[in-house]
Amino acid sequence: MKYFLGNSPRWFKLTMIAFLIFNVIGFFTLSGTVMGWIFIGEFIFCLAMALKCYPLQSGGLLAIQVLALGLTHPMYAKDHDTHEFLYDEAGNHVLGGVYAEVAQNLEVILLLVFMVAGIYFMKPLLMYIFVKLFTKIKSKLALSLVFLLISAVLSAFLDALTVTAVLISVGIGFYNVYHKIHSSDLDLDQNNTLDRKQLSGETLEEFRSFLRSLVMHGVVGTALGGVCTIVGEPQNLLIGSKMGWDFIEFFKVMTVITMPVLAAGILTTIFLETTKTFGFGQKMPPVVRTIIEGWMEKRDEERTDKEKYALVVQGISAVLLIAGLALHVAPVGFIGLGLIVIQTAFMGITDEHSLGKAFEEALPFTGLLVVFFVIVAMIHDQHLFAPIIHWALEQDPSTQPSIFYLANGFLSMISDNVFVATVYINEVSNAYEAGTITREQYEHLAVAINTGTNLPSVATPNGQAAFLFLLTSALAPLINLSYGKMVKMALPYTIVLTLVGLACVWYFL
């Protein structure tokens, strides 16, 4: 008990042991469907306790048990009824299970491994830009809207995880500046006596609250922008490909839902910052603003020729990054690897130790994502969502878009929205090819699936990879951003975006 799960609370350790024992008993006494939903609930619990214990360990133990009990397979597909392995015409195993989920999401994994590391080398440039932004924009409301809109625009053309990586880097950078002053000999009282109080306690909590609200506005912005275009989210590309829509056509078809929702998101930001509710509205403490402005002036004065040259290299790399992502010259992960090569080569970073630091941030989350794919593979192999899909397809055609929107939204809150969209669009595509639904109905359902998986999924970190990335990042503990706090702060956005999206689906589809 002392070493199991390290410094996690004793009650959490006992709970995990109870889960592992119960799951074995439940496997032999309950159905696979019931056990599947129990495992989902337990995994969500592990995510919720991310600040107590990183979910890779606790969730990973559950994932290993899922595989050991045979609820999914690490590599091969099985028949749901007979539980026999499936073979192709050549007599080879049909690939499926966790391997298939990882293969389907390989681009996301490469993105995390290489793009986040590429962003690491751009931190000085990001800090330079955002400090200038912070010092020029005094209004917290204006700053919040800037974060929301910049994140939305970038996510529409780039990738939500890339944008979130930038937000995390900026947040950690600002916190480190504050912490450096706080822990140095510069924390003085009005008599110029070292007291370590002015920057502690209430001031520190206010600064954390300030950063929390800005970052949350930013990640919500990634959802608002990501839903708009065919390249905004992985499932958008899948849906667009199925429907035969190009970039412009996809944008136009989604506009009747996405533009009212974007306007509603902006109004929600204004409301939250004005009323200071749900954990928003905290302004930057004056003493912190003074610290950051002073730090920036000092950095500008002390910046060496080598550092100025590095900023130029990073700036050129940023332009290449945006162009590469916007034009889709290669998978996002490959562009990130190219970014690493260009920046390190021209800035003279050639030793392995310096390169290794760049990968520290993203690799734990990459491991967690693969663990998550075990749970997703279990959902697929146990057909946990199938009854909901079949029920939705049996409803009146006029109400089907709204039902699909809500069903997708609910399932995306507890599962991965890419997985949910994949399952639904494939089922709807099969129904269209079988002649069960018309082309017009098919298009309406595709819009409902896209918006349903992108908008209500902001409710929890489970549905949006960007939210989960933020929750498990190095920034979350620094600003006290727990699972519960993230859900609470996202709640007003969840309600507004879901209801406005539903109203648009009901009236326009």
Side-chain angles (χ1 to χ4, degrees), residues 183-498:
S183 57
S184 70
D185 295 333
L186 301 176
D187 189 0
L188 309 175
D189 62 14
Q190 62 269 29
N191 299 318
N192 284 333
T193 303
L194 184 68
D195 65 354
R196 303 231 190 276
K197 291 181 180 177
Q198 185 179 1
L199 302 184
S200 300
E202 190 176 338
T203 304
L204 177 58
E205 288 308 313
E206 287 176 356
F207 182 51
R208 283 171 168 165
S209 179
F210 169 79
L211 285 180
R212 257 198 321 269
S213 59
L214 281 184
V215 173
M216 282 301 294
H217 287 313
V219 290
V220 169
T222 64
L224 289 170
V227 70
C228 294
T229 65
I230 196 169
V231 296
E233 290 284 350
Q235 68 265 31
N236 300 16
L237 191 58
L238 172 69
I239 293 169
S241 300
K242 286 274 186 185
M243 305 305 298
W245 293 332
D246 59 18
F247 187 95
I248 300 299
E249 192 172 2
F250 185 96
F251 178 78
K252 286 181 178 178
V253 169
M254 297 297 166
T255 299
V256 291
I257 316 294
T258 55
M259 289 302 106
V261 167
L262 177 60
I266 293 171
L267 292 175
T268 305
T269 301
I270 295 171
F271 171 80
L272 291 172
E273 287 298 325
T274 305
T275 59
K276 299 183 179 181
T277 51
F278 292 93
F280 293 96
Q282 178 62 55
K283 297 180 180 179
M284 186 190 294
V287 64
V288 178
R289 181 178 291 278
T290 303
I291 287 172
I292 292 177
E293 289 177 350
W295 175 83
M296 189 62 193
E297 290 174 4
K298 187 178 179 182
R299 287 290 297 122
D300 287 344
E301 292 171 2
E302 296 177 349
R303 189 169 285 113
T304 64
D305 289 341
K306 181 181 179 181
E307 288 174 328
K308 290 177 182 177
Y309 165 74
L311 286 178
V312 173
V313 172
Q314 292 162 27
I316 294 170
S317 300
V319 173
L320 293 174
L321 168 66
I322 293 170
L325 289 171
L327 298 173
H328 303 285
V329 296
V332 179
F334 293 170
I335 294 173
L337 180 57
L339 195 66
I340 294 171
V341 172
I342 290 170
Q343 290 184 104
T344 54
F346 284 93
M347 291 193 297
I349 303 171
T350 55
D351 61 290
E352 188 177 357
H353 179 70
S354 299
L355 287 169
K357 291 179 180 177
F359 292 89
E360 290 176 1
E361 174 92 6
L363 286 183
F365 179 73
T366 308
L368 174 61
L369 200 61
V370 175
V371 166
F372 184 52
F373 290 147
V374 176
I375 305 300
V376 172
M378 177 197 68
I379 293 171
H380 182 266
D381 286 353
Q382 298 301 317
H383 300 280
L384 300 185
F385 294 169
I388 302 173
I389 297 171
H390 295 148
W391 172 79
L393 282 172
E394 291 170 358
Q395 303 309 304
D396 184 88
S398 63
T399 61
Q400 276 186 10
S402 300
I403 291 171
F404 267 72
Y405 174 86
L406 290 174
N408 277 263
F410 170 72
L411 295 175
S412 294
M413 291 178 190
I414 59 175
S415 179
D416 174 44
N417 58 0
V418 179
F419 166 74
V420 174
T422 302
V423 172
Y424 267 78
I425 196 64
N426 285 338
E427 290 290 337
V428 171
S429 180
N430 292 338
Y432 172 66
E433 290 172 4
T436 308
I437 57 176
T438 64
R439 174 68 190 184
E440 182 183 20
Q441 194 178 352
Y442 184 27
E443 292 183 358
H444 288 173
L445 292 179
V447 174
I449 291 169
N450 182 64
T451 52
T453 52
N454 276 297
L455 298 174
S457 57
V458 302
T460 69
N462 308 49
Q464 291 272 357
F467 279 58
L468 188 61
F469 187 28
L470 174 60
L471 178 68
T472 57
S473 70
L475 178 62
L478 297 181
I479 59 176
N480 287 341
L481 184 61
S482 63
Y483 187 100
K485 200 165 285 185
M486 183 179 276
V487 170
K488 175 190 171 185
M489 295 182 77
L491 181 61
Y493 280 112
T494 304
I495 294 171
V496 172
L497 302 188
T498 301

